[in-house]
Amino acid sequence: MRLGIDLGGTAIKSGLVDDAGQVLFYETLPTNASGGADAVLDALTDACRRQLARAAVAAVGIGMPGTVDEARGVLVRAANLPLADYPLTQALSRRLGIPAYLGNDANCALYGEIYAGAGRESDNFLLVTVGTGIGGGIRIGGKIHLGMEGRAGEFGHMIVAMDGRPCRCGRVGCWEQYASATALCRMTREAAAAQPDSLLARQIREAGDVVDGRTVFEAARAGCPAADAVLETYAKHLSVGLNNLTAIFRPDRIVLVGGIFREGEFLLSRVRERCTDPYLVEISALNGQAGLIGAALLPERRDPNSPICRLLRHTAAQTPPER
Ligand SMILES: [Zn+2]
């Protein structure tokens, strides 16, 4: 049995993963990111201990947003979490009494897909994770492409508008400023403000001015034209990046991961309509657990004979050359 953690900006997903890649005892707990690094460590410890009470495991793997040096197991650059320069793995290992390994969350989702999802049928696919930002993973010819310092696959920072919106990366016009779940929430608020009499605006007011990734879908399903227009625009933004990725990589599928894809066909059909190759694009079949499954495999990435490394054709994590 393996223990995997998907550490996000708002929630910690945890679960025990068996040899078939099935997740047992799936749980989510709040990350408590607003409480700072120590609060996140406490929440993480709690999530692990709850699972360790159910089964003995030799190590824990943690997927998280940001730039992670998988070979060294350290966070190089944090994203959406207050953990910059924080010795997370050491602190967690000390508390749990087992080793802890870090990986980038999008790469973990890619490992999860390779082990238990789309990778069972495809050697050439891309993974696109849509949430607070947009991340990605690349598997070509059976091998994953991590790039220097594991920084390849930052699909969200592909520029789609020359003089577009400013991005947290310092450039302008990045895809995630238009097609992340964060962007969808912003577009939802803008539409409600512009059309205060719409069903969308009324529902937001009734919810105490709270907007999340589901808000616009609820209003659109109830027949609100303003919400429907937001989704049409959002689908256009999403498809622009997917079409760029298709042109560059020519994969045999692009797997979409993220909470908003729980909306299924209601969103996917709008995206596919605008894709150059509609049936390349599909929603992950792993119910939002690809990242957790891949994280659980991280400890084994150090063993070239492990099942995941054999699947990755011995592309075990390597330390980048010193510059
Ligand atoms: Zn950017």
Side-chain angles (χ1 to χ4, degrees):
M1 203 64 82
R2 305 167 175 87
L3 172 54
I5 302 283
D6 187 349
L7 174 60
T10 54
I12 298 174
K13 300 177 186 174
S14 70
L16 297 170
V17 179
D18 69 13
D19 285 344
Q22 295 285 321
V23 177
L24 311 171
F25 303 110
Y26 175 73
E27 287 189 343
T28 65
L29 290 172
T31 305
N32 296 336
S34 59
D38 289 333
V40 173
L41 177 64
D42 286 344
L44 201 53
T45 307
D46 188 31
C48 291
R49 284 190 175 142
R50 291 171 64 89
Q51 298 292 357
L52 290 170
R54 298 180 172 121
V57 298
V60 54
I62 302 156
M64 60 185 297
T67 305
V68 177
D69 181 338
E70 284 187 22
R72 298 194 190 93
V74 297
L75 185 66
V76 178
R77 193 171 307 130
N80 306 322
L81 279 169
L83 293 172
D85 302 322
Y86 192 80
L88 188 69
T89 48
Q90 295 92 321
L92 188 66
S93 295
R94 247 195 324 271
R95 288 186 177 190
L96 300 176
I98 55 173
Y101 297 94
L102 287 186
N104 167 270
D105 55 355
N107 287 337
C108 286
L110 184 69
Y111 304 150
E113 287 291 340
I114 289 170
Y115 193 76
R120 289 186 167 175
E121 291 164 17
S122 172
D123 271 354
N124 297 291
F125 73 94
L126 303 179
L127 183 88
V128 176
T129 61
V130 178
T132 309
I134 296 182
I138 304 163
R139 187 190 207 203
I140 295 294
K143 293 194 172 183
I144 55 169
H145 178 70
L146 291 175
M148 188 62 78
E149 295 177 336
R151 290 167 66 184
E154 290 286 358
F155 298 152
H157 299 285
M158 149 171 70
I159 292 171
V160 296
M162 288 286 190
D163 300 301
R165 307 183 71 91
C167 181
R168 61 195 166 102
C169 73
R171 295 182 298 173
V172 299
C174 292
W175 188 31
E176 70 175 34
Q177 294 304 318
Y178 300 86
S180 61
T182 311
L184 178 62
C185 292
R186 185 195 69 234
M187 291 161 63
T188 302
R189 282 192 183 282
E190 286 170 356
Q195 297 164 83
D197 298 329
S198 62
L199 176 63
L200 179 67
R202 286 207 307 278
Q203 286 190 349
I204 292 172
R205 283 196 295 273
E206 282 163 17
D209 205 35
V210 173
V211 170
D212 65 20
R214 288 176 302 240
T215 306
V216 69
F217 290 98
E218 282 164 14
R221 284 183 197 276
C224 172
D228 200 77
V230 169
L231 284 182
E232 288 293 306
T233 305
Y234 177 73
K236 183 174 86 180
H237 293 173
L238 201 51
S239 66
V240 165
L242 296 174
N243 286 338
N244 288 348
L245 292 172
T246 302
I248 295 166
F249 291 99
R250 206 26 76 170
D252 56 38
R253 64 193 70 192
I254 298 179
V255 181
L256 303 173
V257 174
I260 60 167
F261 299 114
R262 281 195 292 262
E263 303 292 339
E265 274 299 311
F266 196 67
L267 174 59
L268 185 63
S269 61
R270 296 169 198 256
V271 175
R272 278 181 166 163
E273 239 171 60
R274 296 170 168 88
C275 284
T276 46
D277 297 84
Y279 292 98
L280 286 187
V281 179
E282 63 182 42
I283 293 172
S284 168
L286 297 177
N287 301 319
Q289 298 175 347
L292 191 167
I293 295 167
L297 299 167
L298 284 173
E300 292 160 51
R301 288 221 58 213
R302 272 135 202 88
D303 172 9
N305 294 315
S306 66
I308 184 63
C309 283
R310 284 203 301 273
L311 282 172
L312 297 172
R313 307 245 173 103
H314 302 283
T315 54
Q318 290 174 350
T319 305
E322 298 294 338
R323 281 266 170 100

